[in-house]
Amino acid sequence: MKRFEEKIVLITGGGSGLGRAAAVQVAKEGAKLALVDLSKEGMEETKQAILAAAPEAEVITIEANCANESEVEAYVKQTVEQFGKIDSFFNNAGVEGKQNLTEEYGAEEFDRVVNINLNGVFYGMQHVLKVMKEQGYGSVVNTASVGGIRGVGNQSGYAASKHGVVGLTRNSGIEYGQFGVSIKAIAPGAIMTPMVEGSLRQLGGDNWEEAGKEFVSVNPMKRFGKPEEVGYLVAFLLSDQADFINATVIPIDGGQSYKY
Amino acid sequence: MGERKVAVITGGGSGLGQAVALRLAKEGVSIVVVDISEKAGQKTAHLVEEIGANAIFVKADVSKAEEVKSYVDKTIEEFGTIDMFYNNAGISGPGVKFVENTIEQIDMVLGINLNGALYGLKYVLEVMLANGGGRIVNTSSTAGVVGQATVGTYSATKHAMVGITKTLAAEYAAQGIVVNAIAPGTTETPMVRAYKEKNPDAFVNATEPIPQKRLGQPEEVAELVTFLLTGNAPYINGVVVPIDGGFTAI
Ligand SMILES: NC(=O)c1ccc[n+]([C@@H]2O[C@H](COP(=O)([O-])OP(=O)(O)OC[C@H]3O[C@@H](n4cnc5c(N)ncnc54)[C@H](O)[C@@H]3O)[C@@H](O)[C@H]2O)c1
Ligand SMILES: NC(=O)c1ccc[n+]([C@@H]2O[C@H](COP(=O)([O-])OP(=O)(O)OC[C@H]3O[C@@H](n4cnc5c(N)ncnc54)[C@H](O)[C@@H]3O)[C@@H](O)[C@H]2O)c1
């Protein structure tokens, strides 16, 4: 069964990690893709991964900064010009930010992280939902985090922005349900992507793999999640099969957020 | 799928349980239909066989621990293992304000929805732990996440499904058990569908508070349960997934 046959899927942060995993999954199921990222090389690698898994797939790449509203408006416009519609939107680009105490975090870092993770997600919804409302259908998955539903510590800007993503998801899901659009968020725990590797390097330097083992020792499943698992969840949530799941946040964290 | 997987479904004779049985059958899963109603349970087993999957029906009242033990034993006798458990049998109770319930009415809802679900988890988990793992979905409800008038005892039992789901995830994840719950809003099961056709006006009020302005379909719930029981994302664990058009977000 190909759930994404003839479907157009737009993915931000498509140049790495979770965005790439979701892109490969929906491409295998027939989707045509627009990838958005700051990193041109990242998107090129994703495109190769997509073509390896789904040689027939049609992919465009758009270099854009999600924290800049006019660039967001432009990537949405370019996607619609290219494909004529947007069936599904994985609103996913984000950064981790510094790890330190709240008093040390600093206004500049806070603004930077919130601008990308929260403003960027809002801009994306604002411009994509206009298109979907006109179409009368569409699905959106926003990437929150366990840090968006629980207190994790040492990540003020990240926590604020990811809790904000959950709030936006509930708010807009309630507004757009009547227009045939469903909006949900995912809350990944520790998924082994370049972002998490970077974060472990902040903790453990060259011994980051040891730091990783320590990190997941408190997870009920005692392992990191795989990007492919998140890609599989995102594909389900973006598909017609999950249309009635709306305005909610689905954790994918091995049970971590429920253990404490 | 290589060797045939085995799923036990309680309340499999009707509604959500039947929809999940038929959907899993399409994946080639062998189905054990557990129900208090012989007629309903046999019917589902028959429909599963028509799809081409194996099925047996086991008559049991889930509120009786010895009957729960016996549906688990019968499953092992027939199929040798349990890979998936859809813990779903339930009743809604009388639909009156809480004080107006008799003690017998309270006990009946608790007996089926709460005790029945916990007995099932205990005996099924014993098998799954011995076999190195398995996947479970518990049926909660929007009434297990928020308060709704006139379903007090029901709501208490459905909130309990959330608690046991999270606890089991914390306890058994490292032993290969994946356990989640679903929280459906009002779903157009055949019973609800029949009622709706007779009382169309009552249903305008039912859909008004739902952001998507419609009820759920049993087939949609079955897709979600199938995703959780068979999908390639076992890192989803200890989660309660609402499938309610946004109803509980308000
Ligand atoms: N990996 C995890 O464990 C985890 C856990 C919870 C949440 N998340 C979230 O998942 C999302 C993806 O994370 P990931 O782990 O794949 O990270 P990643 O660093 O591997 O990928 C993120 C991608 O987003 C791009 N990006 C960053 N800022 C951008 C901007 N301003 N405009 C456009 N593109 C930008 C990056 O270039 C990169 O390609 C993020 O929102 C992250 O917060 C990840
Ligand atoms: N349909 C909905 O709108 C909805 C919404 C939220 C949650 N739920 C829950 O989903 C589950 C299934 O509901 P449904 O709508 O499919 O109901 P249903 O009445 O259509 O089916 C329930 C089945 O359970 C069986 N059953 C009842 N008592 C039993 C017992 N003691 N032992 C064994 N089997 C027994 C019945 O014979 C019936 O076949 C229930 O737990 C219910 O609370 C339903």
Side-chain angles (χ1 to χ4, degrees):
Chain A
M1 176 184 49
K2 289 207 165 183
R3 294 180 295 189
F4 290 91
E5 205 81 68
E6 298 302 316
K7 304 266 180 179
I8 308 306
V9 181
L10 170 62
I11 299 183
T12 69
S16 178
L18 305 186
R20 176 177 299 169
V24 170
Q25 180 66 40
V26 296
K28 276 197 249 176
E29 300 191 51
K32 297 179 184 173
L33 284 135
L35 304 176
V36 175
D37 207 292
L38 277 178
S39 162
K40 207 173 165 178
E41 305 82 72
M43 287 190 288
E44 202 41 54
E45 279 175 32
T46 299
K47 193 171 167 178
Q48 293 317 316
I50 288 171
L51 293 176
E56 312 278 280
E58 220 176 287
V59 187
I60 63 166
T61 58
I62 306 171
E63 244 182 288
N65 178 359
C66 294
N68 179 320
E69 200 201 337
S70 58
E71 295 186 33
V72 172
E73 192 175 2
Y75 79 60
V76 174
K77 191 158 169 259
Q78 193 180 331
T79 304
V80 174
E81 273 169 9
Q82 175 76 26
F83 294 115
K85 59 170 185 167
I86 303 172
D87 293 281
S88 299
F89 179 36
F90 184 30
N91 198 5
N92 161 76
V95 294
E96 163 103 70
K98 276 188 195 153
Q99 297 194 17
N100 55 22
L101 286 179
T102 307
E103 67 194 80
E104 289 155 6
Y105 200 76
E108 210 176 297
E109 177 70 351
F110 191 85
D111 283 347
R112 183 183 78 89
V113 171
V114 170
N115 259 321
I116 298 170
N117 291 4
L118 183 55
N119 295 28
V121 164
F122 170 68
Y123 301 149
M125 285 220 275
Q126 182 183 332
H127 291 284
V128 169
L129 286 173
K130 191 163 185 277
V131 173
M132 289 183 171
K133 180 163 153 259
E134 266 168 36
Q135 294 171 171
Y137 58 82
S139 57
V140 177
V141 171
N142 297 318
T143 305
S145 168
V146 165
I149 55 173
R150 291 284 180 275
V152 174
N154 294 313
Q155 42 169 252
S156 324
Y158 192 77
S161 63
K162 293 299 186 179
H163 274 74
V165 168
V166 172
L168 276 177
T169 302
R170 292 207 182 97
N171 172 75
S172 308
I174 281 167
E175 291 173 1
Y176 283 81
Q178 62 186 311
F179 304 124
V181 177
S182 75
I183 305 173
K184 31 248 176 180
I186 57 167
I191 317 295
M192 193 37 94
T193 64
M195 175 186 281
V196 165
E197 184 182 326
S199 163
L200 290 170
R201 283 183 191 277
Q202 281 195 51
L203 290 170
D206 284 344
N207 283 331
W208 67 273
E209 284 177 273
E210 279 306 308
K213 276 186 201 141
E214 171 100 23
F215 191 81
V216 290
S217 67
V218 295
N219 186 290
M221 287 178 105
K222 314 245 175 274
R223 67 168 173 94
F224 285 95
K226 301 176 203 146
E228 295 74 25
E229 289 180 279
V230 178
Y232 191 80
L233 170 62
V234 171
F236 173 69
L237 291 176
L238 289 177
S239 79
D240 293 344
Q241 292 177 343
D243 181 57
F244 205 53
I245 301 175
N246 183 35
T248 193
V249 50
I250 317 284
I252 172 162
D253 64 2
Q256 182 193 351
S257 56
Y258 290 114
K259 202 186 166 190
Y260 307 106
Chain B
M1 214 173 279
E3 95 228 60
R4 296 214 157 199
K5 300 269 183 186
V6 179
V8 173
I9 300 176
T10 65
S14 172
L16 305 186
Q18 184 181 74
V20 169
L22 302 184
R23 179 64 184 80
L24 285 176
K26 289 194 186 132
E27 302 291 318
V29 175
S30 301
I31 309 291
V32 178
V33 180
V34 176
D35 209 289
I36 199 169
S37 159
E38 171 121 32
K39 193 167 160 235
Q42 292 285 15
K43 169 109 197 273
T44 299
H46 187 70
L47 291 171
V48 166
E49 282 169 346
E50 275 182 8
I51 291 171
N54 299 321
I56 58 166
F57 165 66
V58 183
K59 183 174 158 72
D61 176 348
V62 299
S63 70
K64 302 209 168 90
E66 62 283 1
E67 297 191 24
V68 173
K69 175 89 173 64
S70 93
Y71 78 64
V72 171
D73 288 345
K74 289 225 175 82
T75 302
I76 300 307
E77 264 169 45
E78 189 74 21
F79 294 119
T81 189
I82 303 173
D83 301 292
M84 303 164 215
F85 181 36
Y86 182 41
N87 196 12
N88 163 77
I91 58 169
S92 55
V96 295
K97 284 197 184 166
F98 186 65
V99 170
E100 287 150 30
N101 281 280
T102 65
I103 295 298
E104 291 71 26
Q105 285 170 327
I106 292 174
D107 285 346
M108 184 168 176
V109 175
L110 289 178
I112 296 171
N113 294 11
L114 179 57
N115 296 351
L118 295 185
Y119 299 156
L121 288 167
K122 178 182 158 54
Y123 289 122
V124 169
L125 274 168
E126 285 176 1
V127 172
M128 286 182 170
L129 288 166
N131 291 352
R135 303 240 198 139
I136 299 171
V137 170
N138 292 314
T139 306
S140 179
S141 164
T142 48
V145 185
V146 297
Q148 282 170 262
T150 75
V151 291
T153 313
Y154 179 80
S155 173
T157 64
K158 293 301 179 180
H159 274 72
M161 290 303 97
V162 174
I164 191 66
T165 299
K166 292 177 182 177
T167 301
L168 294 177
E171 286 180 352
Y172 296 115
Q175 285 156 273
I177 306 294
V178 175
V179 52
N180 294 292
I182 59 163
T186 306
T187 306
E188 269 188 55
T189 53
M191 219 166 54
V192 175
R193 235 171 245 166
Y195 181 82
K196 181 180 156 187
E197 271 153 29
K198 282 195 198 123
N199 308 277
D201 294 345
F203 271 82
V204 177
N205 293 336
T207 53
E208 189 43 43
I210 301 168
Q212 290 189 333
K213 308 292 175 208
R214 69 175 180 91
L215 300 181
Q217 299 300 318
E219 294 76 18
E220 295 178 301
V221 175
E223 289 297 346
L224 172 61
V225 173
T226 302
F227 170 76
L228 293 170
L229 287 177
T230 67
N232 296 335
Y235 211 55
I236 304 170
N237 192 17
V239 170
V240 182
V241 184
I243 174 159
D244 64 3
F247 178 74
T248 51
I250 297 175

